[in-house]
Amino acid sequence: MDTRISECETVKTYGENVFSLKTMKNYLSDSAYQSLLLTVRLGMTLDPAIADEVAEAMKIWAVSKGATHFTHWFQPLTGATAEKHDSFICPDGEDGVVMRFSGSELIKGEPDASSFPSGGLRATFEARGYTAWDPTSPAFIKESDNGATLCIPTAFYSYTGVALDKKTPLLRSIDVLSKQLSRLGDLFGIKTKDRRGYPTLGAEQEYFLIDKGFYELRLDLIQTGRTLFGKAPAKHQQMEDHYFGAIKPRVINFMEDLDKELWRLGIPAKTRHNEVSPAQFEIAPVFEELNLAVDHNMMMMETIKTVANAHGFVALLHEKPFAGVNGSGKHNNWSICGPDGKNWLSPGDDPHENAKFLTLICALIKAVDTHAELLRGAVASAGNDHRLGANEAPPAIISIFLGEQLQDLIDQIEKGKAQTSKKAETLQLGVTSLPTLPKDTTDRNRTSPFAFTGNKFEFRAVGSNQSCAGPNVILNTIVAESIDCICTEVETAMDKGKKLNIALEEVLQKIVKKHKRVLFNGDNYTESWHKEAARRGLPNLKTTPDALAPMKTDKALKLFAKYGVFTKEELLSRYEIYTEQYEKILEIEAEVSLTIAKTMITPVALEYQSSIADTISIVKGFSQTGTKELLKGVSSEIENMLKAIKELEKAVQGKSESKKIVGMKNLRKAVDTLETLIPADMWPLPSYTEMLFMM
Ligand code: ADP
Ligand code: MG
């Protein structure tokens, strides 16, 4: 098959597997379509009267695409997606069947699904879980070799109405933010009636590809998604020759297929390139409304895996599949589309727009400084600890990078209009037009966890394997809270007769004074920043348990309860679930480490040891100094390994996570040293060189 597709075909096949608004128009009556449009565009409650018609239309469309089944597609707290299929078939009473799909089946599902983590929220007697259609994210078709399934994005909640998934709080947080955006719009005289502002997201996704043949020989990759052993090769990423390098033919073939699949699903894949580490790549879509973008990222991760498989690769989405080289993240590009359809994080054309822009920047500064620990907690996982704790990805300290020019504006706000600035003019909100801020400059600070990049903020601490939902729930909520506070203060001052500009200047000045400690434009990897951050009192939560703890605080419970994003029990149950997930992952990793060391490495090491010993006893009458030294070296490393095995076995019995981590590290050290001593053809695991370079 010719894998090149002409522009014409791309346009024709784009979104062909999505029941998009465009497609719906052809299948629905005008009144049903208009009604659904209000729900999708303005977030208005779905009119149940149209459900049957939409369901019928969806079914006709899906069946025409070869679908025999439908599923409510949801995002439980495992972090993956879930589906339970039902066929459309319905006996017709005459020994045949008809294909049926009703409005009630579309709107509500009852997958039960009692085995998903609920953190104690669902006692077995009320174990029922329900799914509810999210009409703002279009249904899509998932194809397999033998058929197709209609997937309907849904929220997942319990019998008692408690959120059991990642989508429900996300939708709530988007609503909360939308409301505050309207309020801000009102202050600035922007028309907000019958319009809606919302956050946008473009998630850059990093991943590794390795040959399936190697993968299948690595128990650690199969079971844990990362290599628990393996010596980094002499040459890996130091030469920086992989980053943006020419893409190997086998990889580009994969990428071309991947893009085509994503486009058919209506996922606007845009950029693709080689990343820093050998065998590491990145794909980024055009940004979309946040809820849709999160669903699309989940679908993208799944599609990366299935297309890789078809190309004889395995895609590794783990945050740190290989020690010693770059890990993988997910840059969460977040911005705001106002009710006027404009990007509100973009400095505008007139002073009024700029005042609104600076208000939002200050709202973000306040939000991130006030709740840095919640943002950190939202990206906490066993996998991501390998990045955030180490000196490669953004550090665990959350700070904001604004860039020189925006920083200068913020400094001026801090001084306030009353002060004379060293600069020629002082900034007066609502009076001054801002200089054009550089967009996407090449010298952007790559080390910052939270960077302003021209017209959006890029939260870079999200792990490659994580759903974007969690971090964005936090981001939306804390920014909404900030805007809420700002609006309240400004409105109160205006009620007392102050002008908007004056009121705003005072409020923003206070914010900058109080929260400027979170701003940092330097190199986040340096030791000096870590010291400086400590001096400024910024939290540095290095491990998952430390980072999750703030979820349980009164401060967090109050915030989420106030805005109705999480109830107390929802938040606490999430804390339980994420903590348990962390513990389970460490337990599994420790067990797999032991299995590999005991059943794969030890036998080979002993065999080699005995072959050297044999040589020494057979080859007599020659100098054996070197050979004996070799035997000594191998023997002592075997002893180190056996000792480390014993220690890790003890740690596995215990409750301490950090002991497991240290135990695995020590065992790895011995095994990785043995890898440098034992003949390559005896070594039972594919090497880093093979996995990272041979494709
Ligand atoms: P880089 O790697 O230089 O950060 P990329 O082009 O790989 O840049 O990714 C930038 C991401 O930011 C893209 O997914 C893009 O769609 C997204 N983005 C651009 N504008 C916005 C916006 N207004 N809101 C959200 N995301 C945006
Ligand atoms: Mg980026």
Side-chain angles (χ1 to χ4, degrees), residues 204 282 331 333 444 446 456 458 460:
E204 300 163 54
E282 182 187 295
H331 291 180
N333 293 274
R444 296 194 328 217
R446 289 250 155 221
K456 57 185 158 60
E458 189 168 336
R460 303 202 181 107

mmCIF file of all heavy atoms in Angstrom, residues 204 282 331 333 444 446 456 458 460, ligand 2:
data_model
loop_
_atom_site.group_PDB
_atom_site.id
_atom_site.type_symbol
_atom_site.label_atom_id
_atom_site.label_comp_id
_atom_site.label_asym_id
_atom_site.label_seq_id
_atom_site.Cartn_x
_atom_site.Cartn_y
_atom_site.Cartn_z
ATOM 1 N N GLU A 204 2.001 18.076 24.925
ATOM 2 C CA GLU A 204 3.099 17.457 24.179
ATOM 3 C C GLU A 204 3.418 16.125 24.859
ATOM 4 O O GLU A 204 3.594 16.068 26.064
ATOM 5 C CB GLU A 204 4.344 18.343 24.234
ATOM 6 C CG GLU A 204 4.152 19.718 23.639
ATOM 7 C CD GLU A 204 5.256 20.669 24.089
ATOM 8 O OE1 GLU A 204 6.431 20.355 23.914
ATOM 9 O OE2 GLU A 204 4.912 21.723 24.647
ATOM 10 N N GLU A 282 8.691 12.648 20.393
ATOM 11 C CA GLU A 282 7.604 13.473 20.916
ATOM 12 C C GLU A 282 6.569 13.730 19.830
ATOM 13 O O GLU A 282 6.892 13.855 18.656
ATOM 14 C CB GLU A 282 8.153 14.825 21.399
ATOM 15 C CG GLU A 282 7.056 15.702 21.993
ATOM 16 C CD GLU A 282 7.524 17.111 22.333
ATOM 17 O OE1 GLU A 282 8.375 17.258 23.226
ATOM 18 O OE2 GLU A 282 7.012 18.058 21.706
ATOM 19 N N HIS A 331 4.339 17.932 28.446
ATOM 20 C CA HIS A 331 4.228 19.367 28.679
ATOM 21 C C HIS A 331 2.778 19.801 28.501
ATOM 22 O O HIS A 331 2.192 19.644 27.442
ATOM 23 C CB HIS A 331 5.158 20.133 27.730
ATOM 24 C CG HIS A 331 6.600 19.914 28.051
ATOM 25 N ND1 HIS A 331 7.624 20.485 27.341
ATOM 26 C CD2 HIS A 331 7.183 19.186 29.028
ATOM 27 C CE1 HIS A 331 8.775 20.114 27.877
ATOM 28 N NE2 HIS A 331 8.539 19.324 28.893
ATOM 29 N N ASN A 333 0.439 22.466 28.047
ATOM 30 C CA ASN A 333 0.292 23.859 27.606
ATOM 31 C C ASN A 333 -1.131 24.309 27.874
ATOM 32 O O ASN A 333 -2.067 23.821 27.244
ATOM 33 C CB ASN A 333 0.605 23.987 26.118
ATOM 34 C CG ASN A 333 2.072 23.713 25.827
ATOM 35 O OD1 ASN A 333 2.902 24.602 25.917
ATOM 36 N ND2 ASN A 333 2.387 22.469 25.506
ATOM 37 N N ARG A 444 13.970 30.378 25.605
ATOM 38 C CA ARG A 444 13.022 30.099 26.684
ATOM 39 C C ARG A 444 13.663 29.203 27.730
ATOM 40 O O ARG A 444 14.463 28.349 27.402
ATOM 41 C CB ARG A 444 11.820 29.348 26.128
ATOM 42 C CG ARG A 444 11.059 30.123 25.159
ATOM 43 C CD ARG A 444 9.741 29.495 24.917
ATOM 44 N NE ARG A 444 9.774 28.046 25.035
ATOM 45 C CZ ARG A 444 9.074 27.274 24.247
ATOM 46 N NH1 ARG A 444 8.345 27.786 23.312
ATOM 47 N NH2 ARG A 444 9.096 25.978 24.406
ATOM 48 N N ARG A 446 14.082 26.277 29.653
ATOM 49 C CA ARG A 446 13.650 24.879 29.576
ATOM 50 C C ARG A 446 13.672 24.207 30.946
ATOM 51 O O ARG A 446 13.241 23.081 31.090
ATOM 52 C CB ARG A 446 14.553 24.109 28.618
ATOM 53 C CG ARG A 446 14.330 24.498 27.183
ATOM 54 C CD ARG A 446 13.652 23.350 26.425
ATOM 55 N NE ARG A 446 12.932 23.885 25.295
ATOM 56 C CZ ARG A 446 11.730 23.475 24.918
ATOM 57 N NH1 ARG A 446 11.115 22.522 25.575
ATOM 58 N NH2 ARG A 446 11.122 23.991 23.881
ATOM 59 N N LYS A 456 0.587 31.320 26.675
ATOM 60 C CA LYS A 456 0.109 30.164 27.432
ATOM 61 C C LYS A 456 1.110 29.858 28.536
ATOM 62 O O LYS A 456 2.248 30.343 28.488
ATOM 63 C CB LYS A 456 -0.001 28.947 26.516
ATOM 64 C CG LYS A 456 1.318 28.607 25.823
ATOM 65 C CD LYS A 456 1.156 27.467 24.820
ATOM 66 C CE LYS A 456 2.217 27.402 23.762
ATOM 67 N NZ LYS A 456 3.574 27.229 24.116
ATOM 68 N N GLU A 458 3.114 26.752 30.393
ATOM 69 C CA GLU A 458 3.491 25.379 30.120
ATOM 70 C C GLU A 458 3.886 24.726 31.433
ATOM 71 O O GLU A 458 4.915 25.075 32.004
ATOM 72 C CB GLU A 458 4.667 25.412 29.141
ATOM 73 C CG GLU A 458 5.051 24.077 28.594
ATOM 74 C CD GLU A 458 6.031 24.213 27.413
ATOM 75 O OE1 GLU A 458 6.057 25.273 26.761
ATOM 76 O OE2 GLU A 458 6.758 23.250 27.173
ATOM 77 N N ARG A 460 5.396 21.764 33.060
ATOM 78 C CA ARG A 460 6.230 20.719 32.477
ATOM 79 C C ARG A 460 6.483 19.542 33.410
ATOM 80 O O ARG A 460 7.255 18.646 33.085
ATOM 81 C CB ARG A 460 7.592 21.307 32.096
ATOM 82 C CG ARG A 460 7.499 22.479 31.144
ATOM 83 C CD ARG A 460 8.823 22.640 30.420
ATOM 84 N NE ARG A 460 8.805 23.764 29.512
ATOM 85 C CZ ARG A 460 9.454 24.917 29.738
ATOM 86 N NH1 ARG A 460 10.140 25.073 30.860
ATOM 87 N NH2 ARG A 460 9.402 25.879 28.860
HETATM 88 MG MG MG B 2 7.041 22.473 25.259
#
